[in-house]
């Protein structure tokens, strides 16, 4: 294949990041790669689409996502819009013979998630879900350490994803702040946290002790277009709308291995712009990750004398997964960012489409996304039942 044409539906913050990732995908891993044609960006607000297309070198911009469906030259499409639109768009694209990379969470209801998993099972195209933290070298190194038994007996996994994009009560109402309990902080950032936990520790068996809290009960309406309710505020008098989902979610979990996990998610955590953090604690070692310092992990183990023990910083380096050929400057100290995760994800998805296997794991499937949503539903049920234990089925 001489060329693959890609398109993006959604030109907000995450959509622009997908656009950048497709632009960079051929620059890493030195694999045989076709020319990646940057075809079209769609957004319901056309100025957003036009701006993203201009900035990232896409040929066309449109305010009608069906233009992408109907364009026979387009091979791959990223869906990066409100969750409730995922099923409709994915179905139309798959039926048109296009490969689909959908942002997480898979959709907004369990019914739609099940339908999308079934659609995937019957499709003749490649589908994938955007859990980008699986492409992080530091996280993947800790997952490798777990698999290798480096921690001895693991006795605790603690994880939190704290963001402050909703901390300002003047941040306007948007789709992120409406929907049932469990579709707020839990669905937005908690979906990443749950997937990261299972990537590192293996499947979750049950959840309990859940609590979902709405801290800011109403938000101002804003005239004009609001791209997800991030990075803007409303000054002065405004009509208010109710927030119907969770600002904060906390719960505990039991993994299939019997290890206990503790979790918290927040979109109102002042001073934490984008803080995914976790620790694995065992009888022989401990390790931690903080997205704010994504170019390193912390480790303490029994490799040195006891009087020199303690948490030490280990820089991401070429021996970590993904890093050696995933960076143009692949040596310790260069660092790593969330943007890099999207680029590696785009490269891996193109490899799936081409049937190339050079060691990069495939993207999580729609079926995996359906399971993740069943976990989120179990957490919401636990919260509704006063913290009762709920098995993952």
């Amino acid at each position: 294949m001489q060329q693959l044409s890609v398109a993006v539906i959604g030109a907000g913050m995450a959509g622009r990041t997908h656009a950048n990732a497709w632009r960079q995908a051929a620059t890493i891993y030195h694999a045989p790669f076709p020319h990646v044609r940057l075809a079209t960006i769609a957004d319901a607000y056309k100025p957003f689409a036009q701006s993203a297309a201009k900035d990232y070198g896409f040929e066309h911009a449109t305010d009608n996502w069906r233009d992408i469906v109907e364009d026979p030259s387009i091979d791959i499409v990223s869906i990066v819009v409100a969750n409730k639109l995922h099923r409709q768009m994915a179905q139309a694209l798959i039926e048109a013979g296009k490969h689909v990379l959908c942002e997480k969470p898979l959709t907004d209801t369990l019914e739609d998630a099940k339908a999308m998993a079934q659609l995937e099972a019957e499709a003749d195209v490649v589908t994938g879900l955007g859990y980008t933290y699986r492409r992080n070298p530091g996280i993947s190194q800790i997952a490798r350490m777990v698999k290798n038994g480096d921690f001895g007996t693991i006795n605790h996994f603690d994880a939190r994803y704290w963001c402050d994009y909703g901390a300002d009560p003047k941040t306007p109402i948007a789709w992120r702040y409406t929907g049932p309990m469990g579709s707020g902080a839990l669905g937005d950032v908690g979906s990443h946290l749950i997937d990261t936990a299972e990537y590192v520790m293996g499947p979750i068996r049950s959840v309990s002790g859940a609590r979902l809290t709405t801290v800011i009960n109403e938000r101002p309406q804003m005239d004009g277009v609001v791209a997800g309710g991030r990075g803007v505020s409303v000054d002065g008098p405004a009509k208010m709308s109710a927030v119907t989902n969770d600002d904060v979610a906390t719960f505990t979990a039991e993994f299939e291995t019997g290890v206990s996990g503790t979790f918290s998610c927040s979109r109102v955590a002042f001073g934490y712009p984008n803080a995914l953090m976790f620790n694995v604690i065992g009888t022989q070692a401990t390790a931690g990750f903080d997205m704010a310092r994504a170019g390193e992990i912390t480790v303490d183990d029994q490799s040195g004398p006891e009087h020199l023990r303690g948490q030490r910083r280990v820089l991401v380096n070429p021996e970590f997964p993904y890093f050696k050929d995933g960076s143009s400057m692949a040596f310790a100290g260069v660092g790593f960012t969330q943007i890099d995760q999207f680029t590696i994800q785009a490269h891996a998805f193109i490899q799936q489409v081409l049937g190339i296997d050079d060691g990069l794991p495939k993207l999580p499937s729609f079926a995996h996304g359906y399971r993740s949503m069943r976990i989120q539903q179990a957490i919401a049920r636990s919260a509704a039942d006063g913290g009762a234990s709920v098995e993952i089925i």
Side-chain angles (χ1 to χ4, degrees):
M1 182 175 289
Q2 298 298 313
Q3 175 175 277
L4 282 172
S5 296
V6 300
V8 178
I9 303 176
M13 175 189 66
R16 292 174 68 90
T17 308
H18 274 255
N20 177 69
W22 294 123
R23 181 183 175 90
Q24 303 294 334
T27 67
I28 56 176
Y29 290 108
H30 316 299
F33 231 59
H35 172 68
V36 178
R37 172 181 169 247
L38 308 176
T40 305
I41 295 183
D43 195 279
Y45 185 58
K46 194 169 185 178
F48 282 0
Q50 291 171 325
S51 174
K54 177 178 180 293
D55 290 346
Y56 296 103
F58 281 68
E59 296 173 9
H60 306 291
T62 179
D63 58 4
N64 185 353
W65 63 271
R66 292 192 180 275
D67 290 345
I68 292 174
V69 176
E70 295 167 2
D71 185 343
S73 73
I74 293 174
D75 303 295
I76 297 173
V77 184
S78 287
I79 298 176
V80 201
V81 294
N83 305 331
K84 66 181 181 181
L85 301 175
H86 289 182
R87 178 184 177 182
Q88 176 190 13
M89 291 181 174
Q91 182 165 346
L93 291 163
I94 289 170
E95 289 175 351
K98 302 186 190 306
H99 310 287
V100 176
L101 169 53
C102 185
E103 258 302 329
K104 61 83 220 166
L106 184 58
T107 183
D108 66 331
T109 69
L110 210 57
E111 178 185 3
D112 279 358
K114 182 178 181 179
M116 289 179 70
Q118 184 63 35
L119 180 67
E120 174 185 67
E122 299 170 353
D124 293 326
V125 296
V126 176
T127 55
L129 199 57
Y131 283 116
T132 59
Y133 285 100
R134 289 171 170 257
R135 309 291 169 172
N136 183 285
I139 293 173
S140 297
Q141 176 62 27
I142 295 175
R144 175 190 284 173
M145 293 168 67
V146 171
K147 184 177 181 180
N148 290 344
D150 295 348
F151 293 92
T153 300
I154 297 174
N155 50 52
H156 187 202
F157 177 85
D158 179 68
R160 48 266 181 226
Y161 199 160
W162 299 339
C163 296
D164 65 1
Y165 64 82
D168 184 353
K170 295 186 293 183
T171 297
I173 196 73
W175 63 266
R176 293 182 186 277
Y177 302 103
T178 61
M181 293 298 281
S183 67
L186 180 62
D188 189 9
V189 298
S191 55
H192 268 309
L193 195 65
I194 292 164
D195 183 72
T196 299
E198 291 204 310
Y199 175 58
V200 173
M201 295 293 297
I204 291 173
R205 175 188 296 158
S206 64
V207 296
S208 60
R211 180 174 172 81
L212 305 177
T213 307
T214 306
V215 177
I216 299 172
N217 292 304
E218 59 180 14
R219 292 185 179 274
Q221 297 180 16
M222 182 176 181
D223 294 332
V225 177
V226 179
R230 292 174 180 256
V232 292
S233 62
V234 177
D235 294 316
K239 183 181 288 188
M240 305 298 287
S241 290
V243 174
T244 60
N245 56 20
D246 44 297
D247 289 324
V248 179
T250 59
F251 62 96
T252 63
E254 181 183 10
F255 294 92
E256 292 284 0
T257 57
V259 175
S260 295
T262 50
F263 297 80
S264 67
C265 321
S266 176
R267 64 187 182 194
V268 291
F270 182 86
Y272 289 91
N274 185 48
L276 185 149
M277 304 170 280
F278 68 85
N279 295 85
V280 180
I281 302 168
T283 55
Q284 297 177 10
T286 183
F289 175 84
D290 181 351
M291 190 63 205
R293 304 180 68 90
E296 64 187 56
I297 61 174
T298 58
V299 178
D300 185 17
D301 56 23
Q302 299 177 332
S303 60
E306 186 172 352
H307 69 284
L308 294 178
R309 286 262 310 278
Q311 295 283 326
R312 66 183 185 275
R313 180 179 65 162
V314 179
L315 297 176
V316 168
N317 63 71
E319 297 304 312
F320 281 33
Y322 293 111
F323 190 68
K324 182 178 181 180
D325 295 315
S327 172
S328 59
M329 299 177 67
F331 53 87
V334 170
F336 191 86
T337 74
Q338 193 163 354
I339 309 302
D340 297 320
Q341 296 171 187
F342 281 85
T343 301
I344 296 172
Q345 173 181 265
H347 184 100
F349 191 73
I350 291 175
Q351 285 187 319
Q352 281 183 245
V353 169
L354 297 176
I356 297 173
D357 183 4
D358 66 350
L360 278 184
K362 295 181 179 180
L363 270 66
S365 64
F366 285 5
H368 176 88
Y370 176 39
R371 170 185 161 76
S372 295
M373 288 197 63
R374 297 201 303 274
I375 297 174
Q376 291 170 223
Q377 185 195 52
I379 295 165
R381 283 179 52 198
S382 173
D385 291 343
S389 179
V390 180
E391 297 288 320
I392 308 303
I393 57 174

